[in-house]
Amino acid sequence: MSDIPHLLPPSASHLEVALSRAMARLANVPPFCRQMWDPATCPPSHLPWLAWAVSVDEWDSAWSDAQKRGVIEASYQVHRHKGTVGAVRRALAALGYNTELSEWFDWTPQGEPYTFGVMGEIGDSGLPPTMYDDIERVALATKNVRSHLAWIRLR
């Protein structure tokens, strides 16, 4: 009992002494608050909770750690500019997919008003099985309400 300092009277109950010892041990646990709120340093097991805390719209537990960290990091700017073409581009880039967006007024002939398309580049390793679904889900979650996804082309 002398190895753990506490300021309890001699008449303290066993429960009070046990609580005092437990609280003394907690003082030795270092706080990791700054580490937990940084997507680059957050432990992989805690990334889903960090994503929830910063309101990540689309999350897939099958993503790589790099994709998860990128989506969390991009979330700040995506939410700041949500509903813009830049936000959709940033959200797709955070997944690590090389994509281009085009809007209806850029097409020849012009497309249906307020539609857009996404063109994705397939890397040397081929088409990841979830690429199409990821692009569609993220684009629909980030776009503005009036716009509609017309097509996704992979090349």
Side-chain angles (χ1 to χ4, degrees):
M1 198 146 114
S2 62
D3 59 336
I4 298 183
H6 54 82
L7 300 173
L8 294 177
S11 62
S13 70
H14 292 294
L15 177 62
E16 291 170 329
V17 171
L19 286 172
S20 177
R21 287 182 178 168
M23 295 305 288
R25 283 194 309 247
L26 279 177
N28 296 329
V29 176
F32 294 110
C33 293
R34 182 168 286 148
Q35 177 186 0
M36 298 301 274
W37 281 97
D38 184 3
T41 59
C42 183
S45 60
H46 290 72
L47 287 174
W49 284 279
L50 179 58
W52 171 79
V54 297
S55 298
V56 170
D57 292 326
E58 291 297 324
W59 186 259
D60 189 348
S61 58
W63 288 342
S64 68
D65 280 349
Q67 284 178 310
K68 291 175 183 177
R69 291 178 195 283
V71 167
I72 293 169
E73 180 131 5
S75 175
Y76 302 109
Q77 289 299 320
V78 168
H79 280 291
R80 177 179 270 167
H81 302 286
K82 196 166 190 176
T84 65
V85 173
V88 176
R89 283 190 183 117
R90 184 172 280 125
L92 291 171
L95 291 174
Y97 298 140
N98 188 10
T99 58
E100 296 174 13
L101 265 68
S102 63
E103 295 187 81
W104 62 276
F105 50 81
D106 292 329
W107 303 341
T108 305
Q110 280 193 349
E112 178 119 6
Y114 307 113
T115 57
F116 69 99
V118 179
M119 199 174 313
E121 191 170 308
I122 300 172
D124 295 335
S125 60
L127 177 66
T130 61
M131 182 178 184
Y132 188 89
D133 294 333
D134 288 346
I135 290 173
E136 182 179 33
R137 215 173 44 246
V138 170
L140 292 177
T142 313
K143 70 175 186 66
N144 60 30
V145 175
R146 74 161 189 240
S147 295
H148 302 287
L149 179 60
W151 47 263
I152 298 175
R153 290 190 189 133
L154 301 176
R155 51 185 162 119

